Amino acid sequence: MVNAVLYLVKTGCQWRNLPKDFPNWKAVSMFYYRAQKKGVWDKILKMLVSKTRKANGRKENPTYALIDSQSVKTTSSGEKRGYDGGKKRKGESDT
């Protein structure tokens, strides 16, 4: 079941498209959602992070984190603009 979930995460395939090598997709999805509800995936991830950090000679828990964000200007304020696809207006010339 865990291998089926890891396959889904790695490939991004849909539940119903799981290869026949894995259990029925309904069973795998029930297993996944039950584990998610119980917090199993979060516990596994935290354990893997601390184990990896220890193996790399770092402290078990990170002391800081970086968050990347991007600002996007909205078009709701300001003048109306359009896109003409680089077309020339009537009467315009290259010279």
Side-chain angles (χ1 to χ4, degrees):
M1 294 285 205
V2 173
N3 285 338
V5 171
L6 293 176
Y7 178 84
L8 283 164
V9 171
K10 183 177 181 180
T11 63
C13 82
Q14 298 170 344
W15 290 107
R16 292 177 187 243
N17 292 339
L18 270 174
K20 300 297 178 195
D21 300 350
F22 296 114
N24 182 325
W25 71 269
K26 289 180 183 179
V28 176
S29 70
M30 282 195 311
F31 167 77
Y32 171 79
Y33 288 117
R34 281 187 196 148
Q36 183 183 29
K37 190 173 184 177
K38 292 179 182 178
V40 172
W41 301 120
D42 289 332
K43 291 176 187 174
I44 291 172
L45 184 60
K46 286 179 184 176
M47 185 270 310
L48 287 173
V49 167
S50 67
K51 195 170 189 173
T52 304
R53 289 182 63 83
K54 281 183 187 177
N56 290 328
R58 297 160 70 185
K59 292 181 182 177
E60 187 175 333
N61 295 315
T63 54
Y64 64 90
L66 298 175
I67 299 174
D68 187 16
S69 65
Q70 180 180 6
S71 297
V72 178
K73 293 182 181 179
T74 61
T75 58
S76 61
S77 63
E79 63 185 75
K80 288 189 176 186
R81 296 177 185 216
Y83 179 71
D84 66 358
K87 298 174 191 164
K88 294 182 181 177
R89 290 185 229 144
K90 287 184 179 180
E92 239 180 3
S93 66
D94 288 342
T95 59

